[in-house]
């Protein structure tokens, strides 16, 4: 693929064992093949490590690629490097996560994806349609990785919505709690399972990742029927789709990762070939509900969703 | 003199930066007890470590009963019938006395391919006996070796070697740390080796002990053999002069 | 009585047991009795075998004087190999055999490299952790295959027993624990493991095949980790490449809490198990006690240190009881 | 010549240096000469001081016979404390003083608990890692505060030197490395550290205040980690609570690659630094060599093991050179 | 007899499950050399470990020159003027001979509050001298202790104690592992202590050595003192009878 001479690097904050980012990678690789570009995606070794991402970015830029695609998980850390890259004529596109100031916050030329906080907000909103119409509402928010921005921001978005929801329904008893739910199916299952034992009247559980798939299994093992405890989270991985089919997971936010990998490459291609400037792409609020599950399952198996 | 049981020819051993053995050749006659003496750092322990497989010579050959022997580990040496008491006690401090006595040679209730269930009762009983044999007084065979006094540990090492008597016994300063009574036991034991058709190598810095129980004296200095005579043909003074 | 107390409390695994009982009592109180409810016990006992099996392997290896950081990655790699093979049509049993073979190879490499080049197993297994994790991602192509529906998972994950509190995996775990424990205390191999870890030069001098003993321990440890991972995947239904992340440190912590020494030679299978239970109980109990997300790790860290400190203190007290034995 | 080769190669840190040179040459080739370009060097040298400072502390502690898993968390906690204080209006210097105080307290607790209760530092510092990480999140409230604009960050992060290849942090690092190295080799305290780690009973019997030596080493290690974290935060511009995650294992790996022994008593500051450089070079070189993403970790694991194996092999060869010295 | 320099009263020491010292009382007269003997496990090392601060008695008092002394670590003991050679050599194998000789008492070029830069040259020179003083032949003071033979190590330990001579010298089986020549050096050294106004405690299992260089014999058995006589008043046979 070297022949075309279009060099694109993609650096982000996640490690190779993260299924979501593997879907992005697939989109990225597929697009690169289509446009005959020489592409490289660089994962971090530690999930969510900004400093490793920055180091990878600096190393990749030393090769003077034509374009840099990157998630901008921190408002400041990447500013210097991105400024310099743009000055050196590298096309920089933000993917998946943008600077919280948007276009003002960093030198990136466009953004492809969807913000963490808005995603969390829309998850909460979509789920609220399933909330019981009366009686108290008790919500559990599982912060998968306290202190890591992707998790905190998504959780924050959910809680923002809950606050708004409270204001909108002043008469009702609405409470929420956050726990450290862990980034491992088994751990999340155990912790949330224990919590639900202590609080069987919990209305809904929000995970900031996809680890609530394991919670669905716990509920099933306990013979609790689907819908008694509402489950929702982020990213469409096969486990979650499976649990949507069984009815335990009600709402899932899909960022359409394949698209997040695919589109920026095309934009770079167009920018290079036709001088078209990259533009923002919203990869969708992507709220997925169980009725779409079967169709998604097929695509999911191919790594397209 | 019959065929030697062990012959070493021109052994050389280098430690990084130290030439510890500089061409040692020696024949050990069957059923003879050799007293190996020499200054600190003469190379005595190095020589016997090579025979017991702890170290590998850099040059030279070892013959066992006339046949070239390749000793590349303690197991090989044991298989050839060499039993050793090392200068630094070879005990595992975190294990009990009974288990230490039988390390690597545990009595088994039944075994498949060398592995099996240890016969704990037999092990305990035999170790009580072995320890009593060297006149050592210990509370129980279940005490940890790490909790023994210096002499008690050495006593256990000796009990082990005496229990697993073999064709060739090598004792590297076995009487260090031992009380008078036990020292006498050890001397008596070494002296009795001959009668039991065992060849012995006894290292000690105590000339009296060496002359008391050995048939032949080999003195080493700076990695070489400097004297090799039968006890009858030499004297403590002569030996001390060479060193 | 005094004598009994002394002998009993001097064993680190039993001191840990006492601690466990105390902690359970506290959590039972703080959670308004929910901690020991059938539902919660079912949760704890469901996940326990997986962690405990890993802890058993690591304890064995630590007694042998070595260290394995690759267990977490092997935990993921073994079931992933199986899942990938099965997704390509291999039947269950051959797939499982290949899975275990992978564990054996990794364990062997860990041991062989460590011994052949006399390098610390910390490094060998740290490197192996990266390698195994990477392979997990590579063979899955990034996308974990779904498990076929007709697997005999009931053999590992079905609930059994009175009140359905335990899963089949618990029986496997108990069986394996008993076997490994017997192996360590009653067989000559166990004696060699302990000697090799206790004082290597002595073990070598006494003709123990120390290299083989270590390599076998590494292999056993890897296989136990792989087996545990397989059980977890059957329970959760999906082989994620990120499974078992961070388990390596937890397993070592479990072994140490249960009294195993990082220098080798000291430890007991029971101790490793109790350590694993303690860690699970702490984790679960803290959720029930409604610790805030941000403080959760604090509480875990604090209680881990506390458990070991209390254990050390209890043993010291026991040692200073003046009874002749 | 033979003699020189022998003496030189027997030092593990120098064998590591040879390896480093070889690796650099390979990467230089594979990256079409980009590896040693000014731009890339600037990248490597900009990050290096942070990791190397942590590695220096860990090496010191390992020579003293102990272990610190909490460095990664302290790396984040120290700058976070500073940032939070500064966000509340505390000026730079007092904030920095408090930051270091936090490090001192953590180091002290690590050491005190380890020694007072005779528990393995693996556990103390594992627990402390959780505690410090949790505190970082707690004080930041989950979201990092912004750094004030008027900080003297130039003191740590500005580019200096010919071609602007190095940052100020590099000078700090070199200075500290020289000081700690002198401390270890030329002062009586260094002698005590080495003795305490080399054979604890002997050190204690010779009247060395072993407890104090260890505690001081723990404190130094924590302070270096905190200082490194502060530099990184100034470089990045924002104090993230997740900084330094996984650094604890990397730092130990660096020390071991550079020849430090996990059993204590052996090691050199230079070795830890070369180890850290090796790790950075491998990381950077692999990115430049465009290794496939999924195989990336594999390559890291492989090269880490390879580095230590090669180091061990080189030393063995050197030892077997027969020259009397 | 003048005031005793060290008195111990009714010392008891328990190891977990072992009552190692059962009420030992002893007065050491100034400038007298006491030979401490006894079977393996009698409690000799335990007694002197308490005096040198390695262990703490469970009961009983220690008086130094009439004043109650609290010895809670080797540092305290050294401060009181007690210098010890331990039965198990107290050397750090990973450090050089020179550094080992001066552990904890490094000669400093300059110091602030006890810390400072080591005077490496002085340290090397003095260690060459100290080693030569005990007739030990070593290649260089920069060799690692871990690479020495058993006797060489013991020799270094003795060189250290002789170099830092103090008010009271305790020697726990110092002649183990030593060659004849060096053993004689040590015996001579112990005998000369008196002339240098040093009080000595000499532990050995070799009665000849003890009688050769001590003024007074104390025999222990099962954690108690069973005999305490001046050398002139007793004989090897009598001592061996009590044990
Ligand atoms: N591991 C080692 N590394 C380097 N040199 C060593 C090592 N072991 C022994 N040496 C050196 O080899 C020489 C011979 O040592 P050896 O232990 O054989 O002496 P020895 O005759 O047993 O002395 P001793 O009577 O003191 O036990 C000594 O100079 C010693 O310093
Ligand atoms: N750490 C320990 N733990 C338990 N018991 C111990 C410990 N150290 C020594 N003992 C026991 O205390 C008793 C006295 O030991 P000590 O070392 O004082 O004897 P010793 O007179 O020096 O003997 P030796 O002549 O053999 O050196 C012995 O029975 C020994 O088993
Ligand atoms: Mg010797
Ligand atoms: Mg003694």
């Amino acid at each position: 693929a070297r022949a075309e001479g279009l060099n694109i690097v993609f650096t982000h904050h996640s490690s190779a064992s993260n299924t979501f980012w593997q879907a992005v990678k697939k989109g990225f690789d597929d697009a690169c093949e289509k446009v005959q570009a020489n592409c490289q995606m660089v994962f971090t070794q530690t999930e969510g490590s900004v400093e490793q991402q920055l180091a990878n970015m600096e190393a990749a830029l030393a090769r003077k690629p034509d374009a840099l695609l990157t998630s901008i998980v921190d408002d400041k850390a990447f500013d210097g490097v991105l400024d310099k890259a743009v000055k050196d004529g590298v096309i920089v596109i933000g993917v998946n996560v943008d600077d919280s100031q948007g276009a003002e916050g960093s030198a990136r030329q466009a953004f492809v994806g969807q913000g963490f906080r808005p995603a969390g907000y829309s998850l909460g909103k979509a789920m609220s349609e399933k909330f019981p119409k009366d009686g108290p509402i008790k919500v559990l928010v599982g912060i998968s990785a306290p202190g890591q921005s992707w998790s905190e921001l998504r959780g924050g978005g959910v809680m923002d919505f809950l606050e708004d929801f409270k204001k909108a329904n002043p008469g009702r008893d609405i409470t929420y709690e956050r726990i450290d739910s862990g980034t491992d199916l088994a751990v999340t299952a155990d912790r949330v399972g224990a919590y639900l034992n202590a609080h069987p009247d919990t209305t809904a559980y929000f995970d900031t990742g996809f680890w609530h798939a394991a919670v669905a299994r716990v509920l099933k093992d306990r013979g609790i029927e689907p819908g008694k405890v509402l489950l929702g989270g982020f990213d469409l991985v096969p486990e979650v789709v499976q649990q949507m089919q069984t009815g335990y997971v009600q709402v899932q936010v899909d960022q359409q990762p394949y698209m997040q990998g695919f589109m920026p490459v095309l934009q770079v291609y167009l920018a290079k070939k036709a001088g078209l400037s990259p533009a923002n792409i919203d990869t969708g609020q992507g709220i997925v509900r169980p009725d779409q599950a079967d169709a998604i399952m097929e695509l999911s198996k191919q790594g397209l969703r | 003199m019959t065929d030697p049981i062990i012959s070493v020819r021109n052994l050389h051993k280098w430690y990084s930066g130290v030439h510890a053995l500089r061409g040692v050749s020696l024949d050990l006659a069957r059923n003879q007890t050799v007293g190996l003496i020499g200054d600190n750092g003469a190379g005595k322990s190095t020589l016997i470590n090579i025979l017991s497989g702890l170290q590998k010579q850099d040059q030279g050959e070892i013959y066992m009963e006339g046949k070239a022997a390749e000793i590349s580990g303690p197991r090989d040496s044991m298989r050839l019938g060499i039993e050793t008491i090392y200068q630094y006690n070879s005990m595992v401090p975190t294990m009990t006395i009974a288990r230490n006595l039988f390390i690597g040679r545990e009595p088994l209730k039944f075994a498949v391919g060398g592995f099996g269930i240890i016969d704990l009762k037999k092990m305990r009983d035999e170790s009580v006996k072995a320890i009593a044999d060297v006149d050592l007084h210990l509370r129980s065979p279940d005490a940890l070796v790490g909790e023994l006094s210096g002499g008690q540990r050495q006593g256990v090492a000796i009990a082990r070697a005496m229990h697993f008597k073999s064709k060739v016994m090598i004792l590297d300063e076995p009487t260090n740390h031992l009380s008078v009574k036990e020292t006498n036991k050890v001397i008596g034991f070494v002296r009795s080796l001959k009668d039991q058709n065992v060849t012995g190598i006894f290292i000690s810095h105590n000339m009296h002990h060496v002359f008391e129980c050995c048939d032949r004296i080999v003195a080493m200095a700076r990695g070489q053999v400097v004297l090799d005579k039968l006890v009858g043909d030499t004297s403590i003074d002569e030996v001390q002069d060479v060193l | 009585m005094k004598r009994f107390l002394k002998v009993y409390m001097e064993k680190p695994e039993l001191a840990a047991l006492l601690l466990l009982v105390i902690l359970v009592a506290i959590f039972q109180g703080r959670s308004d009795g929910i901690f020991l409810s059938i539902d919660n016990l079912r949760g704890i006992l469901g996940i326990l075998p997986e962690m405990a099996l890993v802890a058993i392997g690591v304890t064995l290896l630590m007694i042998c004087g070595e260290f394995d950081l690759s267990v977490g990655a092997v935990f993921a790699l073994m079931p992933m190999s199986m899942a990938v093979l099965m997704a390509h049509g291999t039947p269950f049993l051959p797939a499982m055999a290949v899975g275990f073979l992978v564990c054996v190879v990794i364990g062997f490499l860990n041991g062989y490299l460590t011994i052949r080049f006399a390098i610390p197993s910390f490094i060998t297994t740290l490197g192996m952790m990266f390698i195994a994790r990477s392979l997990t991602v590579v063979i899955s192509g990034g996308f974990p295959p779904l498990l076929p529906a007709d697997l005999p998972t009931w053999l590992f994950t079905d609930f059994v027993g009175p009140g359905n509190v335990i899963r089949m995996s618990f029986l496997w775990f108990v069986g394996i624990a008993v076997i490994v424990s017997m192996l360590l205390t009653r067989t000559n191999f166990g004696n060699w493991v302990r000697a090799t870890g206790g004082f290597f030069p002595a073990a070598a001098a006494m003709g123990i095949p120390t290299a083989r003993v270590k390599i076998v321990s590494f292999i056993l440890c890897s296989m136990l980790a792989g087996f545990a991972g397989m059980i977890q995947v059957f329970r959760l239904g999906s082989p994620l490449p990120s499974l078992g992340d961070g388990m390596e440190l937890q397993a070592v912590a479990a072994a140490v809490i249960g009294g195993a020494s990082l220098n080798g030679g000291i430890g007991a299978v029971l101790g490793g198990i109790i350590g694993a239970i303690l860690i699970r109980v702490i984790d679960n109990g803290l959720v029930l006690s409604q610790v805030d997300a941000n403080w959760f790790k604090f509480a875990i860290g604090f209680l881990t240190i506390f458990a070991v400190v209390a254990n050390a203190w209890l043993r010291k007290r026991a040692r200073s009881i003046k009874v002749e034995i």
Side-chain angles (χ1 to χ4, degrees), chain A, chain B, chain C:
Chain A
R2 233 160 215 263
E4 283 298 308
L6 196 55
N7 285 302
I8 307 177
V9 255
F10 195 149
T11 63
H12 56 78
H13 59 279
S14 192
S15 68
S17 42
N18 187 310
T19 321
F20 173 86
W21 280 96
Q22 287 289 346
V24 178
K25 180 169 187 289
K26 187 151 172 39
F28 178 64
D29 288 344
D30 286 357
C32 286
E33 203 172 319
K34 289 221 159 58
V35 303
Q36 295 277 296
N38 173 31
C39 285
Q40 182 187 13
M41 178 178 274
V42 191
F43 290 95
T44 58
Q45 288 170 59
T46 315
E47 189 74 32
S49 169
V50 173
E51 80 261 27
Q52 286 175 18
Q53 184 187 355
L54 180 61
N56 291 338
M57 206 184 278
E58 284 180 338
L61 284 173
R63 257 191 177 276
K64 310 224 179 311
D66 297 300
L68 171 72
L69 316 182
T70 187
S71 60
I72 306 176
V73 280
D74 187 79
D75 283 358
K76 287 204 158 165
F78 307 120
D79 285 356
V81 178
L82 295 186
D83 280 347
K84 182 167 179 303
V86 170
K87 216 174 290 152
D88 292 349
V90 180
I91 300 172
V92 177
I93 300 180
V95 184
N96 184 256
V97 195
D98 197 10
D99 193 291
S100 64
Q101 312 280 311
E104 275 86 68
S106 74
R108 57 95 179 152
Q109 283 136 304
F111 172 68
V112 177
Q114 165 216 39
F116 283 138
R117 208 176 256 276
Y121 194 92
S122 40
L123 173 69
K125 191 160 180 207
M127 184 68 91
S128 69
E129 294 162 15
K130 302 259 178 191
F131 284 173
K133 295 295 167 242
D134 44 29
I137 291 186
K138 295 182 78 171
V139 175
L140 178 64
V141 181
I143 306 295
S144 311
Q148 297 213 358
S149 58
W150 60 268
S151 178
E152 294 275 7
L153 287 171
R154 283 172 173 174
V158 171
M159 288 184 287
D160 284 351
F161 169 76
L162 290 172
E163 287 297 334
D164 289 350
F165 189 68
K166 236 193 252 183
K167 282 194 206 105
N169 299 283
R172 295 186 62 181
D173 173 16
I174 300 166
T175 54
Y176 62 88
E177 253 187 278
R178 15 179 282 152
I179 62 166
D180 179 346
S181 59
T183 54
D184 184 283
L185 283 178
V187 170
T188 307
D190 185 50
R191 290 193 185 155
V192 178
Y195 182 91
L196 293 179
N197 275 327
H199 308 276
D201 54 345
T202 303
T203 319
Y205 169 65
F206 293 97
D207 197 282
T208 55
F210 53 81
W211 292 281
H212 54 301
V215 177
R217 282 197 174 252
V218 171
L219 295 176
K220 191 162 147 204
D221 281 340
R222 292 194 187 151
I224 297 171
E225 67 265 5
K228 171 124 192 330
V229 179
L230 304 169
L231 297 179
F234 298 81
D235 302 345
L236 274 184
V237 295
E239 288 71 37
V240 173
V241 183
Q242 236 175 359
Q243 295 305 332
M244 290 191 115
Q245 287 171 324
T246 59
Y248 278 98
V249 174
Q250 280 70 31
V251 184
Q252 190 76 355
V253 174
D254 176 23
Q255 304 191 54
Q256 315 206 56
Y258 188 84
M259 191 171 176
Q260 293 187 359
F262 198 92
M263 296 314 292
V265 176
L266 294 188
Q267 294 203 338
V268 171
Y269 179 78
L270 293 175
K272 278 283 165 187
K273 292 290 147 187
L276 303 176
S277 55
N280 291 353
I281 298 179
D282 185 351
T283 57
Q285 289 303 301
I287 296 293
V288 175
R289 296 193 171 76
D291 48 354
Q292 297 153 274
D294 290 338
I296 289 171
M297 198 61 170
E298 270 317 299
L299 295 168
S300 185
K301 275 187 187 154
Q302 301 165 40
L304 296 177
R305 287 202 75 160
Chain B
M1 197 163 141
T2 58
D3 250 16
I5 184 161
I6 301 184
S7 303
V8 302
R9 283 285 162 276
N10 195 29
L11 281 193
H12 281 270
K13 174 72 192 175
W14 284 84
Y15 294 106
S16 177
V18 181
H19 197 172
L21 289 189
R22 302 165 185 249
V24 170
S25 298
L26 203 62
D27 291 310
L28 296 187
R30 212 176 283 275
N31 307 346
Q32 194 182 43
T33 304
V34 173
L36 189 56
I37 56 179
D39 262 357
N40 293 134
K44 306 180 295 298
S45 295
T46 304
L47 174 62
I48 67 104
N49 282 350
I50 290 175
L51 290 179
S52 16
L54 264 200
Q55 264 145 6
K56 187 100 183 87
Q57 72 270 29
D58 288 314
Q59 205 182 308
E61 297 87 41
I62 303 173
Y63 299 92
M64 188 79 192
E65 302 183 310
K67 281 194 295 287
E70 181 71 16
I71 303 181
S72 50
R75 247 187 144 68
D76 289 345
S77 167
M78 284 177 167
R79 206 175 298 123
L80 292 171
I82 301 175
E83 181 70 35
T84 312
I85 298 181
Y86 296 96
Q87 180 170 10
Y88 280 99
N89 39 42
S90 41
M91 297 275 142
V92 181
T94 51
M95 289 170 77
T96 63
I97 295 170
R99 281 183 186 258
N100 260 295
L101 272 168
F102 288 89
I103 284 180
R105 293 182 282 208
E106 296 83 0
L108 301 179
K109 271 194 194 144
F110 62 82
V112 189
F115 295 97
I117 307 288
I118 299 179
D119 189 338
L120 288 178
K121 191 172 159 340
K122 187 163 167 207
M123 195 160 87
R124 284 187 94 247
D125 293 349
E126 286 197 27
S127 48
V128 169
K129 210 177 126 288
I131 289 170
D133 278 353
V134 287
D135 257 9
L136 197 63
H137 301 287
L138 295 175
R139 276 169 298 140
S140 121
D142 298 329
L144 296 185
V145 165
E147 297 179 346
L148 297 182
S149 80
Q152 288 168 335
R153 267 184 231 194
Q154 186 69 19
V156 175
I158 294 189
R160 176 166 67 188
M162 282 170 69
H163 189 78
F164 290 105
K165 219 161 12 217
S166 200
K167 264 194 285 191
V168 180
M169 295 261 344
I170 304 183
L171 301 93
D172 195 353
E173 310 197 20
T175 56
N176 283 344
H177 303 279
L178 286 191
S179 72
V180 183
K181 264 185 284 183
E182 283 171 86
T183 303
N184 290 338
K185 267 269 169 195
V186 172
I187 305 282
F189 168 70
V190 174
R191 207 183 303 167
S192 74
L193 287 178
K194 187 167 37 243
D195 308 330
Q196 306 174 44
N197 289 329
V198 175
T199 312
I201 304 180
F202 176 67
I203 302 185
S204 175
H205 288 297
N206 189 319
M207 293 294 164
H208 299 283
H209 291 169
V210 177
F211 274 81
E212 209 171 307
C213 62
C214 297
D215 306 318
R216 179 177 154 207
I217 307 289
V218 173
M220 290 182 68
R222 283 169 304 284
Q224 286 173 313
V225 174
V226 291
L227 177 146
D228 185 350
K229 290 195 173 167
L230 292 182
V231 166
D233 303 342
T234 184
S235 67
I236 295 191
D237 288 338
E238 185 190 346
V239 172
Q240 266 169 7
D241 275 354
V242 242
L243 294 179
Chain C
M1 179 58 207
K2 226 165 128 189
R3 188 192 161 100
F4 168 79
L5 208 70
K6 180 180 177 65
V7 172
Y8 179 87
M9 293 303 300
E10 272 192 12
K11 299 218 169 179
E13 63 267 30
L14 298 181
L17 191 59
L18 178 69
L19 263 176
L20 179 62
V21 171
I22 295 173
L23 261 180
V24 167
I26 293 175
F27 281 133
Q28 174 72 351
R30 284 198 42 121
S31 70
D32 310 320
I34 294 170
F35 187 82
L36 287 180
S37 70
I38 292 283
D39 265 349
N40 197 48
L41 282 183
R42 198 184 279 153
I44 296 182
L45 294 180
I47 187 176
L48 176 68
E50 297 151 16
M51 242 209 87
L53 282 171
V54 178
I56 291 174
V58 170
T59 305
L60 174 79
L61 195 53
M62 274 173 62
I63 295 175
C64 193
E66 298 289 345
F67 207 69
D68 193 351
L69 290 174
S70 70
V71 284
V74 171
F75 188 89
L77 178 57
M78 141 78 183
M80 185 61 82
S81 329
M82 277 182 71
V84 169
L85 282 175
M86 291 190 298
H88 285 83
T90 316
F92 176 73
L93 281 180
M96 187 162 87
V98 173
F100 276 120
L101 192 68
V102 169
C103 298
V104 170
V105 169
I106 289 185
F108 175 79
L109 281 179
N110 279 339
Y112 179 78
L113 290 173
T114 302
I115 289 152
R116 173 72 180 73
F117 298 99
I119 61 180
S121 50
F122 183 93
I123 286 292
T124 333
T125 58
L126 180 70
M128 198 54 83
M129 160 174 125
F130 284 121
I131 291 177
R133 187 65 75 186
S134 173
L135 286 179
T136 312
V137 176
V138 168
I139 62 171
S140 73
F143 300 99
L146 287 175
L147 292 179
D150 57 345
L151 292 183
T153 50
W154 59 268
L155 199 52
F156 304 103
T157 58
D158 269 15
F159 284 104
V160 290
N164 272 351
V165 277
I166 59 170
R167 287 180 188 259
M168 285 293 291
S169 59
F170 195 79
L171 300 183
W172 280 95
F173 147 63
V174 171
I176 290 177
V178 170
I179 291 174
V180 176
S181 189
M182 294 289 288
L183 186 76
L184 254 177
T185 53
R186 304 300 309 272
T187 69
N188 54 352
F189 179 77
N191 221 29
W192 301 354
V193 167
R194 210 171 274 280
T196 304
F199 188 47
F200 186 85
M206 292 320 296
I208 289 181
T210 45
R212 252 172 294 161
V213 168
K214 287 201 169 183
I215 290 179
V216 169
S217 302
F218 270 110
I219 293 178
L220 282 179
C221 180
S222 264
M223 286 181 71
L224 283 172
F227 183 64
M230 187 185 79
I231 293 180
Q232 179 161 99
V233 164
F234 285 167
R235 182 166 66 86
L236 299 176
S238 43
L240 286 185
S242 62
L243 237 45
D245 214 6
M247 186 163 254
E248 48 282 348
L249 293 186
Q250 275 199 352
V252 176
V256 174
I257 292 176
S261 156
L262 282 162
N263 301 320
I266 301 176
V269 168
L270 181 61
I273 295 172
I274 293 174
I277 300 181
L278 254 173
I279 291 181
R280 288 311 325 149
V281 162
I282 290 175
D283 203 301
N284 185 288
L286 284 175
V287 173
L288 291 183
S289 315
Q290 304 197 312
V291 173
D292 178 79
N294 289 354
W295 287 96
F296 196 83
K297 274 195 171 169
F298 186 97
I300 296 220
F302 177 79
L303 285 178
T304 308
I305 295 182
F306 174 79
V308 179
V309 165
N311 194 332
W313 185 82
L314 278 173
R315 258 183 298 163
K316 209 171 136 196
R317 304 284 352 177
R319 286 184 68 81
S320 69
I321 295 178
K322 297 194 179 59
V323 180
E324 239 168 315
I325 44 176

